Amino acid sequence: MSMVNCTEVRPGNIYIWDNQLYQCITIDLNKTAMAKMKVKIKSKNVRTGSVTEVSLIGGDKVDLVRVDRKKMNYLYDDGNDIVFMDNETYEQLNISKDLLKWELNFLTDGVEVEIMSFNGEILGITIPAKVTLTITESEPAVRGDTSKTALKDATVETGLLVKVPLFCNEGDKIIVETEKGEYVSRA
């Protein structure tokens, strides 16, 4: 950890303020002629995932922290935990499902993720921006139904419901964007 002036925080940096661990999303510096600099940092609480705005004054100091990141592959779901494996050391790591609610929608055999930890505490995982998933269930396309955007519901192998074009069928592999869970293209 290193103490720095709050004006030196950059997007992506992780810092401690008010005994909470935050990741900077954006920073806005506002300096008027007579007043001290006002610093507004749009931040994500790394432990809870909530997004908030931290308001500081130009002279305030924050602790910039170094978060350990380790690449691991998804192995399996053991009921309460998700098990990951380091491909170099074959070390296995269990992470509670409660910590990975959204990410579970995109985890399939062998997907490589980045596990973030701070002082031994697992903070979460970073999944790839896009993943390939197989459609396990989809509505049949209705011929001539192009009055709206021509999308239908499809369920993929992880249980996620995705809107897909009419030409996608059960068994097709599709690419899904992981931030919003939306269809990108066929694989």
Side-chain angles (χ1 to χ4, degrees), residues 42-101:
K42 184 176 179 183
S43 301
K44 177 181 175 184
N45 186 314
V46 178
R47 291 185 178 110
T48 65
S50 63
V51 175
T52 186
E53 190 169 86
V54 178
S55 297
L56 305 167
I57 296 175
D60 289 340
K61 303 265 187 211
V62 296
D63 273 330
L64 275 186
V65 298
R66 185 174 170 276
V67 172
D68 297 321
R69 297 174 187 269
K70 189 175 200 175
K71 291 197 181 284
M72 297 184 101
N73 284 3
Y74 169 77
L75 277 185
Y76 60 91
D77 178 344
D78 81 352
N80 296 327
D81 295 335
I82 302 298
V83 181
F84 296 92
M85 181 181 73
D86 186 329
N87 278 343
E88 294 173 13
T89 64
Y90 302 108
E91 167 192 0
Q92 292 185 6
L93 176 68
N94 291 22
I95 300 179
S96 172
K97 279 185 170 180
D98 296 335
L99 193 59
L100 307 175
K101 288 186 171 112

Short mmCIF file of all heavy atoms in Angstrom, two decimals, residues 42-101:
data_model
loop_
_atom_site.label_atom_id
_atom_site.label_comp_id
_atom_site.label_asym_id
_atom_site.label_seq_id
_atom_site.Cartn_x
_atom_site.Cartn_y
_atom_site.Cartn_z
N LYS A 42 -15.96 8.37 -9.11
CA LYS A 42 -17.00 7.36 -9.26
C LYS A 42 -16.30 6.02 -9.04
O LYS A 42 -15.37 5.68 -9.77
CB LYS A 42 -17.64 7.42 -10.64
CG LYS A 42 -18.80 6.46 -10.81
CD LYS A 42 -19.44 6.65 -12.17
CE LYS A 42 -20.57 5.68 -12.35
NZ LYS A 42 -21.16 5.80 -13.69
N SER A 43 -16.74 5.30 -8.02
CA SER A 43 -16.02 4.11 -7.60
C SER A 43 -16.95 2.93 -7.39
O SER A 43 -18.11 3.09 -7.02
CB SER A 43 -15.28 4.37 -6.29
OG SER A 43 -14.38 5.44 -6.44
N LYS A 44 -16.39 1.75 -7.58
CA LYS A 44 -17.11 0.50 -7.32
C LYS A 44 -16.52 -0.12 -6.06
O LYS A 44 -15.31 -0.31 -5.98
CB LYS A 44 -16.94 -0.45 -8.50
CG LYS A 44 -17.58 -1.80 -8.31
CD LYS A 44 -17.33 -2.66 -9.52
CE LYS A 44 -17.85 -4.06 -9.30
NZ LYS A 44 -17.54 -4.93 -10.43
N ASN A 45 -17.38 -0.42 -5.09
CA ASN A 45 -16.92 -1.10 -3.90
C ASN A 45 -16.57 -2.53 -4.32
O ASN A 45 -17.42 -3.26 -4.82
CB ASN A 45 -18.01 -1.11 -2.83
CG ASN A 45 -17.55 -1.69 -1.51
OD1 ASN A 45 -16.90 -2.74 -1.47
ND2 ASN A 45 -17.88 -1.00 -0.44
N VAL A 46 -15.31 -2.91 -4.16
CA VAL A 46 -14.83 -4.19 -4.66
C VAL A 46 -15.48 -5.37 -3.94
O VAL A 46 -15.71 -6.41 -4.54
CB VAL A 46 -13.28 -4.26 -4.56
CG1 VAL A 46 -12.76 -5.58 -5.04
CG2 VAL A 46 -12.66 -3.14 -5.36
N ARG A 47 -15.82 -5.21 -2.69
CA ARG A 47 -16.41 -6.31 -1.92
C ARG A 47 -17.90 -6.48 -2.19
O ARG A 47 -18.40 -7.58 -2.27
CB ARG A 47 -16.16 -6.11 -0.43
CG ARG A 47 -14.70 -6.28 -0.07
CD ARG A 47 -14.48 -6.19 1.44
NE ARG A 47 -13.08 -6.40 1.75
CZ ARG A 47 -12.27 -5.45 2.19
NH1 ARG A 47 -12.72 -4.23 2.38
NH2 ARG A 47 -11.02 -5.73 2.46
N THR A 48 -18.64 -5.38 -2.30
CA THR A 48 -20.09 -5.47 -2.45
C THR A 48 -20.56 -5.29 -3.89
O THR A 48 -21.67 -5.68 -4.23
CB THR A 48 -20.80 -4.40 -1.59
OG1 THR A 48 -20.45 -3.10 -2.09
CG2 THR A 48 -20.41 -4.52 -0.13
N GLY A 49 -19.74 -4.65 -4.73
CA GLY A 49 -20.13 -4.42 -6.12
C GLY A 49 -20.94 -3.16 -6.33
O GLY A 49 -21.24 -2.79 -7.46
N SER A 50 -21.32 -2.46 -5.25
CA SER A 50 -22.12 -1.25 -5.40
C SER A 50 -21.25 -0.10 -5.93
O SER A 50 -20.08 0.01 -5.60
CB SER A 50 -22.76 -0.86 -4.07
OG SER A 50 -21.77 -0.54 -3.12
N VAL A 51 -21.88 0.73 -6.75
CA VAL A 51 -21.17 1.89 -7.33
C VAL A 51 -21.61 3.13 -6.58
O VAL A 51 -22.79 3.34 -6.33
CB VAL A 51 -21.48 2.01 -8.84
CG1 VAL A 51 -20.85 3.26 -9.42
CG2 VAL A 51 -21.00 0.78 -9.58
N THR A 52 -20.64 3.95 -6.20
CA THR A 52 -20.91 5.16 -5.44
C THR A 52 -19.97 6.27 -5.89
O THR A 52 -19.00 6.01 -6.58
CB THR A 52 -20.77 4.88 -3.92
OG1 THR A 52 -21.18 6.03 -3.20
CG2 THR A 52 -19.34 4.55 -3.55
N GLU A 53 -20.25 7.48 -5.46
CA GLU A 53 -19.37 8.59 -5.75
C GLU A 53 -18.69 9.03 -4.46
O GLU A 53 -19.37 9.35 -3.49
CB GLU A 53 -20.15 9.75 -6.36
CG GLU A 53 -19.25 10.84 -6.91
CD GLU A 53 -20.03 11.85 -7.74
OE1 GLU A 53 -20.56 12.79 -7.14
OE2 GLU A 53 -20.08 11.69 -8.96
N VAL A 54 -17.38 8.98 -4.44
CA VAL A 54 -16.60 9.39 -3.28
C VAL A 54 -16.16 10.83 -3.51
O VAL A 54 -15.50 11.12 -4.50
CB VAL A 54 -15.37 8.46 -3.08
CG1 VAL A 54 -14.54 8.92 -1.90
CG2 VAL A 54 -15.81 7.01 -2.90
N SER A 55 -16.56 11.73 -2.61
CA SER A 55 -16.20 13.14 -2.73
C SER A 55 -15.05 13.46 -1.78
O SER A 55 -15.15 13.22 -0.58
CB SER A 55 -17.39 14.03 -2.40
OG SER A 55 -18.43 13.82 -3.32
N LEU A 56 -13.98 14.02 -2.32
CA LEU A 56 -12.79 14.34 -1.54
C LEU A 56 -12.37 15.78 -1.84
O LEU A 56 -12.85 16.41 -2.78
CB LEU A 56 -11.65 13.38 -1.89
CG LEU A 56 -11.96 11.88 -1.74
CD1 LEU A 56 -10.89 11.06 -2.40
CD2 LEU A 56 -12.08 11.52 -0.28
N ILE A 57 -11.41 16.27 -1.06
CA ILE A 57 -10.82 17.59 -1.28
C ILE A 57 -9.38 17.36 -1.72
O ILE A 57 -8.73 16.39 -1.28
CB ILE A 57 -10.90 18.44 0.00
CG1 ILE A 57 -12.37 18.68 0.34
CG2 ILE A 57 -10.17 19.76 -0.17
CD1 ILE A 57 -12.61 19.39 1.64
N GLY A 58 -8.85 18.23 -2.57
CA GLY A 58 -7.55 18.07 -3.18
C GLY A 58 -6.41 17.58 -2.32
O GLY A 58 -5.53 16.87 -2.79
N GLY A 59 -6.38 17.88 -1.04
CA GLY A 59 -5.27 17.46 -0.19
C GLY A 59 -5.46 16.10 0.47
O GLY A 59 -4.55 15.59 1.13
N ASP A 60 -6.63 15.48 0.33
CA ASP A 60 -6.89 14.19 0.97
C ASP A 60 -5.98 13.10 0.41
O ASP A 60 -5.67 13.08 -0.78
CB ASP A 60 -8.36 13.77 0.77
CG ASP A 60 -9.32 14.63 1.57
OD1 ASP A 60 -8.88 15.28 2.54
OD2 ASP A 60 -10.52 14.65 1.22
N LYS A 61 -5.59 12.21 1.29
CA LYS A 61 -4.73 11.09 0.90
C LYS A 61 -5.53 9.79 0.94
O LYS A 61 -6.38 9.60 1.81
CB LYS A 61 -3.53 10.95 1.86
CG LYS A 61 -2.68 12.19 1.96
CD LYS A 61 -1.53 12.08 1.03
CE LYS A 61 -0.58 13.25 1.27
NZ LYS A 61 0.08 13.65 0.08
N VAL A 62 -5.25 8.91 -0.01
CA VAL A 62 -5.86 7.58 -0.03
C VAL A 62 -4.75 6.55 -0.15
O VAL A 62 -3.65 6.85 -0.60
CB VAL A 62 -6.86 7.42 -1.20
CG1 VAL A 62 -8.03 8.36 -1.07
CG2 VAL A 62 -6.19 7.60 -2.55
N ASP A 63 -5.05 5.33 0.29
CA ASP A 63 -4.09 4.23 0.17
C ASP A 63 -4.34 3.51 -1.15
O ASP A 63 -5.39 2.90 -1.34
CB ASP A 63 -4.31 3.20 1.29
CG ASP A 63 -3.56 3.53 2.54
OD1 ASP A 63 -2.50 4.15 2.44
OD2 ASP A 63 -4.05 3.16 3.63
N LEU A 64 -3.38 3.59 -2.07
CA LEU A 64 -3.46 2.78 -3.29
C LEU A 64 -2.99 1.38 -2.92
O LEU A 64 -1.97 1.23 -2.26
CB LEU A 64 -2.55 3.33 -4.39
CG LEU A 64 -3.09 4.44 -5.27
CD1 LEU A 64 -2.11 4.76 -6.38
CD2 LEU A 64 -4.44 4.11 -5.85
N VAL A 65 -3.72 0.36 -3.31
CA VAL A 65 -3.35 -1.00 -2.95
C VAL A 65 -3.06 -1.82 -4.20
O VAL A 65 -3.56 -1.53 -5.28
CB VAL A 65 -4.45 -1.71 -2.11
CG1 VAL A 65 -4.68 -0.99 -0.81
CG2 VAL A 65 -5.74 -1.83 -2.88
N ARG A 66 -2.27 -2.82 -4.00
CA ARG A 66 -1.93 -3.74 -5.09
C ARG A 66 -2.76 -5.00 -4.88
O ARG A 66 -2.67 -5.66 -3.85
CB ARG A 66 -0.45 -4.09 -5.06
CG ARG A 66 -0.03 -4.92 -6.22
CD ARG A 66 1.49 -5.12 -6.25
NE ARG A 66 1.82 -6.12 -7.23
CZ ARG A 66 1.80 -7.42 -7.02
NH1 ARG A 66 1.46 -7.89 -5.84
NH2 ARG A 66 2.10 -8.27 -7.98
N VAL A 67 -3.56 -5.31 -5.87
CA VAL A 67 -4.40 -6.49 -5.82
C VAL A 67 -3.70 -7.59 -6.61
O VAL A 67 -3.22 -7.36 -7.72
CB VAL A 67 -5.80 -6.20 -6.41
CG1 VAL A 67 -6.62 -7.46 -6.54
CG2 VAL A 67 -6.52 -5.18 -5.57
N ASP A 68 -3.61 -8.78 -6.01
CA ASP A 68 -2.99 -9.90 -6.70
C ASP A 68 -3.98 -10.47 -7.70
O ASP A 68 -5.16 -10.66 -7.40
CB ASP A 68 -2.59 -11.00 -5.69
CG ASP A 68 -1.54 -10.50 -4.71
OD1 ASP A 68 -0.64 -9.75 -5.14
OD2 ASP A 68 -1.63 -10.86 -3.52
N ARG A 69 -3.48 -10.75 -8.90
CA ARG A 69 -4.31 -11.33 -9.96
C ARG A 69 -3.65 -12.62 -10.43
O ARG A 69 -2.45 -12.64 -10.70
CB ARG A 69 -4.46 -10.35 -11.12
CG ARG A 69 -5.16 -9.08 -10.71
CD ARG A 69 -5.17 -8.06 -11.84
NE ARG A 69 -5.68 -6.78 -11.40
CZ ARG A 69 -6.95 -6.42 -11.46
NH1 ARG A 69 -7.84 -7.24 -11.93
NH2 ARG A 69 -7.32 -5.23 -11.05
N LYS A 70 -4.45 -13.67 -10.52
CA LYS A 70 -3.91 -14.97 -10.90
C LYS A 70 -4.84 -15.60 -11.93
O LYS A 70 -6.05 -15.66 -11.71
CB LYS A 70 -3.82 -15.85 -9.65
CG LYS A 70 -3.11 -17.14 -9.84
CD LYS A 70 -2.98 -17.84 -8.50
CE LYS A 70 -1.88 -18.85 -8.56
NZ LYS A 70 -1.62 -19.49 -7.29
N LYS A 71 -4.28 -16.06 -13.03
CA LYS A 71 -5.07 -16.73 -14.07
C LYS A 71 -5.31 -18.17 -13.67
O LYS A 71 -4.39 -18.89 -13.31
CB LYS A 71 -4.37 -16.65 -15.42
CG LYS A 71 -4.34 -15.24 -15.98
CD LYS A 71 -4.04 -15.26 -17.45
CE LYS A 71 -3.97 -13.86 -18.02
NZ LYS A 71 -5.24 -13.24 -18.19
N MET A 72 -6.58 -18.57 -13.72
CA MET A 72 -6.97 -19.94 -13.41
C MET A 72 -8.09 -20.37 -14.35
O MET A 72 -8.75 -19.53 -14.96
CB MET A 72 -7.43 -20.05 -11.95
CG MET A 72 -6.34 -19.72 -10.94
SD MET A 72 -6.89 -19.97 -9.25
CE MET A 72 -6.13 -21.52 -8.89
N ASN A 73 -8.31 -21.67 -14.45
CA ASN A 73 -9.36 -22.22 -15.30
C ASN A 73 -10.49 -22.77 -14.45
O ASN A 73 -10.26 -23.37 -13.40
CB ASN A 73 -8.83 -23.34 -16.19
CG ASN A 73 -8.03 -22.80 -17.35
OD1 ASN A 73 -7.81 -21.61 -17.48
ND2 ASN A 73 -7.59 -23.69 -18.21
N TYR A 74 -11.72 -22.60 -14.96
CA TYR A 74 -12.89 -23.15 -14.30
C TYR A 74 -12.86 -24.67 -14.44
O TYR A 74 -12.64 -25.21 -15.52
CB TYR A 74 -14.16 -22.60 -14.95
CG TYR A 74 -15.42 -23.30 -14.53
CD1 TYR A 74 -16.00 -23.06 -13.30
CD2 TYR A 74 -16.05 -24.21 -15.37
CE1 TYR A 74 -17.16 -23.70 -12.91
CE2 TYR A 74 -17.21 -24.85 -15.00
CZ TYR A 74 -17.76 -24.60 -13.76
OH TYR A 74 -18.91 -25.24 -13.39
N LEU A 75 -13.04 -25.38 -13.31
CA LEU A 75 -13.08 -26.84 -13.33
C LEU A 75 -14.51 -27.37 -13.22
O LEU A 75 -15.01 -28.01 -14.12
CB LEU A 75 -12.24 -27.44 -12.19
CG LEU A 75 -10.75 -27.58 -12.40
CD1 LEU A 75 -10.11 -28.29 -11.22
CD2 LEU A 75 -10.43 -28.29 -13.68
N TYR A 76 -15.14 -27.11 -12.06
CA TYR A 76 -16.48 -27.64 -11.86
C TYR A 76 -17.18 -26.93 -10.70
O TYR A 76 -16.57 -26.19 -9.94
CB TYR A 76 -16.45 -29.15 -11.60
CG TYR A 76 -15.65 -29.56 -10.38
CD1 TYR A 76 -16.25 -29.67 -9.13
CD2 TYR A 76 -14.29 -29.85 -10.48
CE1 TYR A 76 -15.52 -30.04 -8.01
CE2 TYR A 76 -13.55 -30.22 -9.37
CZ TYR A 76 -14.18 -30.32 -8.14
OH TYR A 76 -13.45 -30.69 -7.03
N ASP A 77 -18.48 -27.22 -10.59
CA ASP A 77 -19.32 -26.69 -9.53
C ASP A 77 -19.53 -27.83 -8.54
O ASP A 77 -20.04 -28.88 -8.91
CB ASP A 77 -20.65 -26.26 -10.16
CG ASP A 77 -21.66 -25.75 -9.16
OD1 ASP A 77 -21.50 -25.97 -7.95
OD2 ASP A 77 -22.64 -25.12 -9.61
N ASP A 78 -19.13 -27.64 -7.28
CA ASP A 78 -19.27 -28.73 -6.31
C ASP A 78 -20.50 -28.58 -5.41
O ASP A 78 -20.62 -29.23 -4.38
CB ASP A 78 -18.00 -28.92 -5.49
CG ASP A 78 -17.85 -27.94 -4.33
OD1 ASP A 78 -18.67 -27.00 -4.22
OD2 ASP A 78 -16.92 -28.10 -3.53
N GLY A 79 -21.43 -27.74 -5.80
CA GLY A 79 -22.65 -27.55 -5.01
C GLY A 79 -22.67 -26.21 -4.32
O GLY A 79 -23.50 -25.36 -4.61
N ASN A 80 -21.74 -25.98 -3.37
CA ASN A 80 -21.68 -24.70 -2.65
C ASN A 80 -20.61 -23.78 -3.21
O ASN A 80 -20.70 -22.57 -3.09
CB ASN A 80 -21.38 -24.94 -1.16
CG ASN A 80 -22.49 -25.70 -0.48
OD1 ASN A 80 -23.65 -25.56 -0.83
ND2 ASN A 80 -22.13 -26.53 0.48
N ASP A 81 -19.57 -24.36 -3.78
CA ASP A 81 -18.43 -23.60 -4.29
C ASP A 81 -18.18 -23.88 -5.76
O ASP A 81 -18.63 -24.89 -6.30
CB ASP A 81 -17.15 -23.97 -3.51
CG ASP A 81 -17.22 -23.59 -2.04
OD1 ASP A 81 -17.97 -22.66 -1.70
OD2 ASP A 81 -16.51 -24.22 -1.25
N ILE A 82 -17.43 -22.98 -6.36
CA ILE A 82 -16.94 -23.17 -7.72
C ILE A 82 -15.44 -23.46 -7.59
O ILE A 82 -14.74 -22.77 -6.86
CB ILE A 82 -17.16 -21.90 -8.58
CG1 ILE A 82 -18.64 -21.53 -8.60
CG2 ILE A 82 -16.63 -22.08 -9.98
CD1 ILE A 82 -19.56 -22.57 -9.21
N VAL A 83 -14.96 -24.46 -8.31
CA VAL A 83 -13.57 -24.88 -8.19
C VAL A 83 -12.80 -24.43 -9.43
O VAL A 83 -13.22 -24.68 -10.56
CB VAL A 83 -13.46 -26.42 -8.01
CG1 VAL A 83 -12.01 -26.83 -7.85
CG2 VAL A 83 -14.28 -26.87 -6.81
N PHE A 84 -11.66 -23.77 -9.19
CA PHE A 84 -10.77 -23.31 -10.24
C PHE A 84 -9.42 -23.97 -10.07
O PHE A 84 -9.05 -24.38 -8.96
CB PHE A 84 -10.60 -21.78 -10.16
CG PHE A 84 -11.87 -21.02 -10.41
CD1 PHE A 84 -12.69 -20.67 -9.36
CD2 PHE A 84 -12.24 -20.68 -11.69
CE1 PHE A 84 -13.87 -19.97 -9.57
CE2 PHE A 84 -13.42 -19.99 -11.92
CZ PHE A 84 -14.24 -19.64 -10.86
N MET A 85 -8.65 -24.06 -11.18
CA MET A 85 -7.33 -24.69 -11.12
C MET A 85 -6.29 -23.83 -11.82
O MET A 85 -6.55 -23.29 -12.90
CB MET A 85 -7.36 -26.07 -11.78
CG MET A 85 -6.02 -26.79 -11.73
SD MET A 85 -6.04 -28.40 -12.54
CE MET A 85 -6.10 -27.93 -14.25
N ASP A 86 -5.13 -23.72 -11.19
CA ASP A 86 -3.98 -23.04 -11.78
C ASP A 86 -3.33 -24.02 -12.74
O ASP A 86 -2.95 -25.12 -12.34
CB ASP A 86 -3.00 -22.63 -10.68
CG ASP A 86 -1.86 -21.79 -11.20
OD1 ASP A 86 -1.45 -21.99 -12.36
OD2 ASP A 86 -1.34 -20.97 -10.44
N ASN A 87 -3.18 -23.66 -14.01
CA ASN A 87 -2.63 -24.58 -15.01
C ASN A 87 -1.14 -24.85 -14.83
O ASN A 87 -0.63 -25.84 -15.35
CB ASN A 87 -2.87 -24.06 -16.43
CG ASN A 87 -4.27 -24.39 -16.91
OD1 ASN A 87 -4.94 -25.25 -16.35
ND2 ASN A 87 -4.71 -23.69 -17.94
N GLU A 88 -0.43 -23.98 -14.13
CA GLU A 88 1.00 -24.18 -13.94
C GLU A 88 1.30 -25.06 -12.74
O GLU A 88 2.12 -25.96 -12.79
CB GLU A 88 1.72 -22.83 -13.80
CG GLU A 88 1.66 -22.00 -15.07
CD GLU A 88 2.21 -20.61 -14.87
OE1 GLU A 88 2.86 -20.34 -13.84
OE2 GLU A 88 1.99 -19.77 -15.77
N THR A 89 0.62 -24.80 -11.62
CA THR A 89 0.91 -25.54 -10.39
C THR A 89 -0.12 -26.63 -10.09
O THR A 89 0.08 -27.42 -9.18
CB THR A 89 0.94 -24.58 -9.18
OG1 THR A 89 -0.36 -24.03 -9.01
CG2 THR A 89 1.96 -23.49 -9.37
N TYR A 90 -1.21 -26.65 -10.84
CA TYR A 90 -2.34 -27.57 -10.63
C TYR A 90 -2.99 -27.40 -9.26
O TYR A 90 -3.71 -28.25 -8.80
CB TYR A 90 -1.92 -29.03 -10.86
CG TYR A 90 -1.37 -29.25 -12.24
CD1 TYR A 90 -0.03 -29.47 -12.46
CD2 TYR A 90 -2.23 -29.20 -13.34
CE1 TYR A 90 0.47 -29.65 -13.74
CE2 TYR A 90 -1.74 -29.38 -14.62
CZ TYR A 90 -0.40 -29.61 -14.82
OH TYR A 90 0.08 -29.77 -16.08
N GLU A 91 -2.72 -26.26 -8.63
CA GLU A 91 -3.35 -25.92 -7.35
C GLU A 91 -4.82 -25.60 -7.61
O GLU A 91 -5.17 -24.96 -8.59
CB GLU A 91 -2.64 -24.69 -6.76
CG GLU A 91 -3.35 -24.04 -5.62
CD GLU A 91 -2.76 -22.68 -5.27
OE1 GLU A 91 -1.81 -22.22 -5.92
OE2 GLU A 91 -3.29 -22.07 -4.33
N GLN A 92 -5.70 -26.10 -6.73
CA GLN A 92 -7.12 -25.84 -6.88
C GLN A 92 -7.59 -24.85 -5.82
O GLN A 92 -7.08 -24.83 -4.71
CB GLN A 92 -7.92 -27.14 -6.77
CG GLN A 92 -7.67 -28.05 -7.95
CD GLN A 92 -8.54 -29.30 -7.92
OE1 GLN A 92 -9.42 -29.43 -7.08
NE2 GLN A 92 -8.30 -30.19 -8.85
N LEU A 93 -8.58 -24.04 -6.20
CA LEU A 93 -9.10 -22.99 -5.32
C LEU A 93 -10.62 -23.03 -5.37
O LEU A 93 -11.21 -23.06 -6.45
CB LEU A 93 -8.60 -21.63 -5.80
CG LEU A 93 -9.09 -20.40 -5.07
CD1 LEU A 93 -8.54 -20.36 -3.66
CD2 LEU A 93 -8.69 -19.15 -5.83
N ASN A 94 -11.26 -23.05 -4.21
CA ASN A 94 -12.72 -23.02 -4.11
C ASN A 94 -13.17 -21.61 -3.80
O ASN A 94 -12.65 -20.98 -2.88
CB ASN A 94 -13.20 -23.96 -3.00
CG ASN A 94 -12.98 -25.41 -3.32
OD1 ASN A 94 -12.15 -25.76 -4.14
ND2 ASN A 94 -13.73 -26.26 -2.67
N ILE A 95 -14.16 -21.12 -4.55
CA ILE A 95 -14.75 -19.81 -4.31
C ILE A 95 -16.25 -19.99 -4.14
O ILE A 95 -16.90 -20.67 -4.93
CB ILE A 95 -14.45 -18.83 -5.47
CG1 ILE A 95 -12.93 -18.65 -5.63
CG2 ILE A 95 -15.13 -17.49 -5.23
CD1 ILE A 95 -12.54 -17.74 -6.75
N SER A 96 -16.81 -19.36 -3.11
CA SER A 96 -18.23 -19.46 -2.82
C SER A 96 -19.08 -18.95 -3.97
O SER A 96 -18.76 -17.94 -4.59
CB SER A 96 -18.55 -18.66 -1.55
OG SER A 96 -19.94 -18.60 -1.37
N LYS A 97 -20.17 -19.66 -4.24
CA LYS A 97 -21.10 -19.25 -5.30
C LYS A 97 -21.69 -17.87 -5.02
O LYS A 97 -22.03 -17.14 -5.95
CB LYS A 97 -22.25 -20.25 -5.43
CG LYS A 97 -21.93 -21.46 -6.21
CD LYS A 97 -23.20 -22.30 -6.33
CE LYS A 97 -23.02 -23.41 -7.30
NZ LYS A 97 -24.24 -24.22 -7.42
N ASP A 98 -21.83 -17.51 -3.74
CA ASP A 98 -22.42 -16.22 -3.37
C ASP A 98 -21.61 -15.05 -3.92
O ASP A 98 -22.15 -13.99 -4.18
CB ASP A 98 -22.52 -16.09 -1.85
CG ASP A 98 -23.46 -17.12 -1.25
OD1 ASP A 98 -24.36 -17.59 -1.97
OD2 ASP A 98 -23.29 -17.46 -0.06
N LEU A 99 -20.31 -15.25 -4.10
CA LEU A 99 -19.42 -14.20 -4.59
C LEU A 99 -19.48 -14.08 -6.12
O LEU A 99 -19.07 -13.07 -6.68
CB LEU A 99 -17.98 -14.51 -4.15
CG LEU A 99 -16.94 -13.43 -4.28
CD1 LEU A 99 -17.31 -12.19 -3.48
CD2 LEU A 99 -15.59 -13.94 -3.82
N LEU A 100 -20.02 -15.09 -6.80
CA LEU A 100 -19.95 -15.16 -8.26
C LEU A 100 -21.33 -15.25 -8.92
O LEU A 100 -21.47 -15.95 -9.92
CB LEU A 100 -19.12 -16.37 -8.68
CG LEU A 100 -17.74 -16.51 -8.07
CD1 LEU A 100 -17.11 -17.82 -8.48
CD2 LEU A 100 -16.86 -15.34 -8.47
N LYS A 101 -22.31 -14.56 -8.42
CA LYS A 101 -23.67 -14.71 -8.94
C LYS A 101 -23.77 -14.44 -10.45
O LYS A 101 -24.28 -15.25 -11.19
CB LYS A 101 -24.62 -13.82 -8.17
CG LYS A 101 -24.87 -14.35 -6.78
CD LYS A 101 -25.92 -13.55 -6.05
CE LYS A 101 -26.28 -14.24 -4.78
NZ LYS A 101 -25.92 -13.62 -3.59
#
